[in-house]
Amino acid sequence: MRAARLIKMVLLLQSRASMTAAELAEELEVSERTVTRDASALSEAGVPVYADRGRAGGYRLVGGYRTRLTGLARGEAEALFLSGLPGALRDMGLADAASAARLKVSAALLPSLRDAPEAVGRRFHLDAPAWYQEPETPELLAPLAEAVWDDRPVRARYRRGDAEVARDLEPYGLVLKAGVWYVCARAGSSYRTYRVDRFAEVTVGEEPFERDPDFDLAAFWTERSAEFARSLLRAEVVLRLTEAGARRLPYVTDRAAAEEALAAGVAEPDGRVSAVLRVESEEVAFGQLLGLGPEAEVLAPAALRERFAAAALGMAARYGQPAGPR
């Protein structure tokens, strides 16, 4: 346990110019006192860890010290090759660079670990797009990826509805969600998300912009995607659900909305539960809740209840007739 932590500490210091004890403690999930002891142990073992004292001090490696990849365990080596996304890299125009990097890493591994890429390839494959959708690479993904990588601004034309709008953007990162590419960018003083396939034109600037060091792409995407999902739920449906209907509700509609509705639901004497479910629209709710069949009863709005009643009568009439040609 400690040996792995010491190796991680060296790699962290190797990747950064300097780190404070607090930063190392957070990364290693230990106390600052443990960081101090580990730094002393590394120094005694011949690793040149130097401690800068004072408020702005920290730990750093001196003398251009570099460790090598020969300390990788098999699981670590296989995880390293599993982290690549070949399709996404190809779409961004980085396939050649990624291939060269994998070759260099393979060459640096111990002979006993050089079959790691092949072992991973035989066991895992990532297929990002959703079912029943043919993935298409947006025409302007490559220049946007180049701008993201080099921190260069772009002047773009973006399709919004039937119109095109001009935008000056500082692209911070790309996200691939269910086969759709998005770029997270700073526009003026705010950060926004744009679908890459809606860009009509992209011109990459020459001079790099100053990137906000506190921007966290993963956290930003998580927050904005959750906000977007919530913003779609503009209508409400009152339901009465059987036990089976309540169990299946999260699988036919928005999971968070379903869980929220069930948590606030009211149990009825016959064992069913009544709940208020937030939905995108009555039209969407009809298609989703129809899959629950008799396990769900729509109580309101009245127009949606009438639509379900008509559908139920139509199905009863259809199934009340003998099967086969008429």
Side-chain angles (χ1 to χ4, degrees):
M1 180 72 175
R2 191 190 185 199
R5 189 176 71 241
L6 292 174
I7 292 172
K8 185 176 180 180
M9 183 175 180
V10 172
L11 293 173
L12 284 169
L13 293 175
Q14 184 173 295
S15 64
R16 308 182 194 181
S18 177
M19 294 183 70
T20 65
E23 290 171 338
L24 284 167
E26 182 178 358
E27 290 278 359
L28 299 171
E29 299 181 353
V30 296
S31 67
E32 293 186 32
R33 185 185 296 269
T34 298
V35 168
T36 301
R37 288 199 297 265
D38 286 352
S40 297
L42 286 170
S43 182
E44 292 173 4
V47 178
V49 178
Y50 181 79
D52 292 314
R53 306 299 179 184
R55 180 177 297 179
Y59 292 93
R60 59 187 176 89
L61 293 174
V62 296
Y65 180 87
R66 307 290 295 178
T67 188
R68 302 180 68 85
L69 290 174
T70 50
L72 282 177
R74 168 163 292 277
E76 295 167 333
E78 291 175 345
L80 180 64
F81 287 97
L82 181 61
S83 65
L85 308 178
L89 292 169
R90 181 184 62 251
D91 291 347
M92 290 188 291
L94 299 175
D96 290 343
S99 177
R102 285 193 293 269
L103 286 173
K104 290 178 180 179
V105 172
S106 297
L109 292 173
L110 289 171
S112 60
L113 300 179
R114 287 180 185 163
D115 65 335
E118 183 181 353
V120 170
R122 287 197 302 263
R123 290 168 173 82
F124 299 99
H125 173 69
L126 176 66
D127 187 6
W131 285 104
Y132 312 118
Q133 294 183 8
E134 188 67 27
E136 294 183 3
T137 302
E139 181 181 351
L140 297 174
L141 176 60
L144 279 170
E146 178 186 350
V148 167
W149 193 254
D150 295 336
D151 291 338
R152 288 193 284 164
V154 299
R155 172 157 290 185
R157 297 197 64 79
Y158 187 76
R159 288 185 291 269
R160 176 175 290 175
D162 295 331
E164 288 187 4
V165 295
R167 289 287 183 267
D168 289 322
L169 305 174
E170 294 177 352
Y172 270 60
L174 288 163
V175 175
L176 178 61
K177 170 72 170 180
V180 180
W181 284 96
Y182 299 85
V183 61
C184 303
R186 182 164 59 186
S189 59
S190 62
Y191 294 94
R192 300 185 181 183
T193 303
Y194 302 86
R195 278 185 60 142
V196 174
D197 59 7
R198 292 182 183 169
F199 282 94
E201 182 181 340
V202 169
T203 303
V204 181
E206 295 295 330
E207 296 297 324
F209 62 84
E210 185 175 348
R211 189 181 183 91
D212 181 356
D214 295 327
F215 180 80
D216 185 326
L217 178 61
F220 172 81
W221 175 258
T222 299
E223 179 183 351
R224 290 303 173 89
S225 57
E227 288 177 0
F228 176 73
R230 288 194 299 269
S231 72
L232 293 177
L233 306 178
R234 303 186 182 96
E236 290 185 346
V237 173
V238 182
L239 298 172
R240 183 179 286 134
L241 299 157
T242 65
E243 182 179 346
R247 189 167 56 249
R248 289 166 51 191
L249 185 64
Y251 297 96
V252 300
T253 187
D254 181 83
R255 177 175 290 273
E259 291 174 349
E260 180 182 309
L262 294 172
V266 178
E268 299 191 353
D270 62 358
R272 292 187 293 177
V273 60
S274 60
V276 179
L277 175 70
R278 293 187 301 143
V279 295
E280 185 174 343
S281 66
E282 290 185 23
E283 180 67 30
V284 171
F286 178 76
Q288 293 174 335
L289 299 175
L290 198 61
L292 295 179
E295 308 302 335
E297 178 187 358
V298 173
L299 303 179
L304 184 60
R305 179 178 174 85
E306 291 172 4
R307 187 172 178 183
F308 270 95
L313 289 173
M315 292 181 69
R318 180 75 65 188
Y319 284 96
Q321 300 174 4
R326 288 177 291 164

